[in-house]
Amino acid sequence: MNVLLCDEQSLVRSGLCRIFENEGDIKVVAEAANGCDAIELVARLRPDVVLTDTRLPGIDGVELARRVTRSPHPVPLQVVFLAQALDRPSVLSGLRAGGRGFVLKSDPSDDIVTAVRSAAAGHTVFSSVVSERFFPHLLRCSTPSEAIRPAGLDRLTGREIDVLGLIAEGMSNNEIAEALALSPATVKSHVSRLLAKLNLRDRAQAIVAAYRSGLGRV
């Protein structure tokens, strides 16, 4: 798969190149120091994944994701965010903009590589640090007064609401199946139906919808 790296700091980009150079299935096709250059490179090179810092000069990483994921491409383009630290607004804005994953610069290199591979395969992925430390806190912070019911929420069955809440906690289909005593195939069907009913593209948007509606609070 072809990857475009976007980070203002050349040392960060160099470090990422070293991480990926030993991965036989990942090729860094270009680097960009700002969002404007990244957009031009995406249009010209058509990478599979853009790995970008959330904070960039000019066009930031979130706006970059919004623009490149909504532009027509022969192959779906995925964006993974690489942040210096956990930041609630950035995570939520990034997911709404079409990002497929969120990892930290301090995460183990294996987590960053896994995030890129998973995004290329169409999966939503967060590093273990983001999943364990951020999303449960995010869900606890939601209150009934802050809750916003996504359009279509009242069309979900009770089981679909259960599944949506567990998606928001970062569970995979297999983990949801085990938690609800269902088969993975049944969980997959529930996920497909709830995404369609809520007019959501993927699990990342489902997490945002669950948070905004107050589902999955722990």
Side-chain angles (χ1 to χ4, degrees), residues 24-88:
D25 60 334
I26 300 177
K27 178 182 179 182
V28 176
V29 294
E31 302 175 31
N34 58 71
C36 291
D37 288 348
I39 289 173
E40 188 276 329
L41 289 168
V42 166
R44 179 158 54 88
L45 300 176
R46 306 296 195 202
D48 302 299
V49 177
V50 175
L51 180 61
T52 181
D53 193 352
T54 53
R55 298 181 179 181
L56 298 170
I59 296 174
D60 65 15
V62 173
E63 180 60 23
L64 168 63
R66 184 176 293 110
R67 295 192 187 188
V68 300
T69 57
R70 293 179 182 179
S71 299
H73 295 282
V75 177
L77 171 67
Q78 311 297 351
V79 175
V80 175
F81 293 104
L82 181 70
Q84 185 67 42
L86 286 177
D87 174 28
R88 167 180 168 173

